[in-house]
Structure formats: structure tokens, C-alpha cells
Amino acid sequence: MLTVTDLKKRYDDARAVSSVSVTLQPGELAVLVGRSGAGKTTLLRCLDGLERPDRGTITLNERPLGPTDVALVFQEGALLERKSVLENVLDGGLGREPAWRELVGWHAPTAKRQAIERLHAVGLGGYADRRVGDLSGGEKQRVGIARALQQEPRVLLADEPVASLDPETGRTVLELLAEVVREESLVGLVSLHQPALARAVADRYLGLDDGRLVLDASAADVGQERILEVYDGG
Ligand SMILES: Nc1ncnc2c1ncn2[C@@H]1O[C@H](COP(=O)(O)OP(=O)(O)OP(=O)(O)O)[C@@H](O)[C@H]1O
């Protein structure tokens, strides 16, 4: 269980996240909604440790959330285009391997086996040796997901992971994210701009407006109108 208590983050004179408290359960995909500037990215960055909150605590099963607990899937995958699919996935696990391995580019055989299994799990079996730069947007995002899973996180975050994809490809990628969250019992939190896609995969909705949490409800209990209201700011 991920527990955020009274989280606050300001940038100079801008209030980005204001007194957010929320509990997220493993095996559930929560979708973060809110208009542009509502604080979604800032909340995700605080959870990933990329930003230091001004106030508040973040715990996983009652212990402070650590950097190795969390993996973040970036909008464009943040992959190295010239490297192979397998190398990109293996890079996801580097945080858990000794630094010299990174320097000489040597990965443990077990890490390679796991990376190949993960590629199969995201529907990219047989893609290991392909150059990432030659893949489609949807395939790159699948590599991004496999790379995040290689970190063996307990918490999987994604900031607008399908923004650059067409709706159908975006939906397939999101369904994959939801599936890994459920199957691996991860805490999943994804920010999305498209209400229709959000509806297709959300177990739960969190809504931000001007940094405040204005919606926290199970997807079954919240109607489309309320979600559209939060997207519009409110
Ligand atoms: N590095 C920064 N320096 C100063 N202000 C920032 C910084 N990052 C975000 N902000 C401000 O904090 C507020 C929240 O921004 P944030 O990016 O978290 O919103 P968002 O909901 O993710 O928006 P979008 O949907 O457009 O990505 C905004 O007012 C933004 O201008």
C-alpha cells in the first residue's frame, strides 16, 4: 500500500501540489486526471524522487518509499535510439547491478533472461536485437514498459505514456500497463489527457485541480460527467 500524506510542493511563487493525501492499493491502476498545470507531473515526480517535496511523507507498506521501489515510464519512452531493444531493457536494471557492469556493458545472464522474458510479456518476443530507433511509437512504449519492469519496482508510474500515439495504439499500450499492474500486484499511477482512454483502463480516478486533490474514487463509482469536469478544471 502506498500512502501519501499531506504532500506539498511549490516552485518559486507557483503552488504545484498542495496538501495531497491519498492511499493507493497494489494491483490497481489509478488514473491521474486534471487540466494542464494542475500538478500531475509534479506529483509523479515527487513519487519518483525526482523532486523533493516541501512537506509531507510518502510510504510504501509503512516504510519510506525508496528510489528502487519506483519506476517511471516516460512520455516518449526516454530510450536510447541507437541501442538495441535488449540493451535498453537491460539498462532499466542497472540500478540493481554493480557500477562496473555499466562501465563495461556486461550484464548477468539472469538479467538477460529476465529482460527477454519481459520483452515476450509486452508482446515484443523476437525484437531483442532490433534497433530502438527503427521501432514504431507503440513498440517503443512497450520497450519503455519492459525497461521499467526490469527495475523490479513495486510502484509503476507513467506520465502521459500514450500522448504521442494514435488512440488505438495508445489504448493497447495502456491495456498492457493495466495488465502488468494487476498481474504483478504493483501500485500503478498513470496521468492521462484523454478521457476515453482513461475510462478504458482506470480502476480508480485521482483528480487534481490547482494542486489540490478534488477527486479520489473507484472507477465504478464515478460518472463520465464528473471526470470531464475535473479535466476542465473543477
Ligand atoms: N520546474 C518548474 N519550475 C517552476 N514551475 C513549475 C515547474 N514545473 C511545474 N511548474 C508549475 O507547477 C504547476 C504544476 O505543473 P505540472 O507540470 O505538475 O502540471 P501538469 O498537471 O502535469 O500539467 P500538464 O498536463 O500540462 O503536463 C504549474 O503551474 C507549472 O507551471
Side-chain angles (χ1 to χ4, degrees), residues 68-232:
T68 57
D69 294 326
V70 189
L72 179 65
V73 179
F74 291 91
Q75 194 178 99
E76 300 288 346
L79 304 168
L80 295 167
E81 304 257 320
R82 292 210 315 254
K83 281 194 172 186
S84 73
V85 166
L86 182 65
E87 284 169 318
N88 269 277
V89 175
L90 283 166
D91 283 351
L94 280 176
R96 293 181 294 110
E97 294 189 33
W100 65 265
R101 286 193 183 164
E102 183 177 357
L103 289 172
V104 299
W106 188 86
H107 296 277
T110 44
K112 279 193 184 165
R113 199 171 56 239
Q114 286 169 337
I116 287 170
E117 278 168 17
R118 288 191 172 102
L119 284 171
H120 277 274
V122 300
L124 294 180
Y127 278 63
D129 294 328
R130 298 267 299 267
R131 196 175 152 273
V132 162
D134 297 336
L135 302 183
S136 72
E139 288 164 349
K140 282 182 192 167
Q141 274 313 60
R142 287 168 184 271
V143 177
I145 294 169
R147 186 180 195 279
L149 292 176
Q150 188 75 3
Q151 296 175 44
E152 298 190 345
R154 301 313 314 149
V155 179
L156 187 62
L157 308 173
D159 193 7
E160 291 290 340
V162 298
S164 57
L165 306 180
D166 66 80
E168 205 182 310
T169 311
R171 189 179 166 131
T172 319
V173 169
L174 283 175
E175 282 169 354
L176 172 68
L177 258 176
E179 189 185 305
V180 295
V181 162
R182 286 168 203 150
E183 281 185 0
E184 303 203 16
S185 244
L186 307 178
V187 172
L189 181 61
V190 177
S191 72
L192 288 178
H193 265 125
Q194 308 93 319
L197 288 181
R199 198 152 188 85
V201 291
D203 293 312
R204 181 145 168 226
Y205 283 101
L206 300 183
L208 284 177
D209 183 38
D210 197 15
R212 286 169 302 111
L213 192 70
V214 292
L215 174 69
D216 178 3
S218 148
D221 296 338
V222 59
Q224 183 76 344
E225 277 154 39
R226 178 68 189 122
I227 292 158
L228 291 176
E229 232 172 68
V230 179
Y231 271 114
D232 288 339

Side-chain angles (χ1 to χ4, degrees), residues 51-63:
E51 293 287 351
R52 205 185 156 84
D54 301 323
R55 198 177 70 200
T57 56
I58 307 168
T59 60
L60 182 67
N61 302 328
E62 289 161 29
R63 292 197 189 147

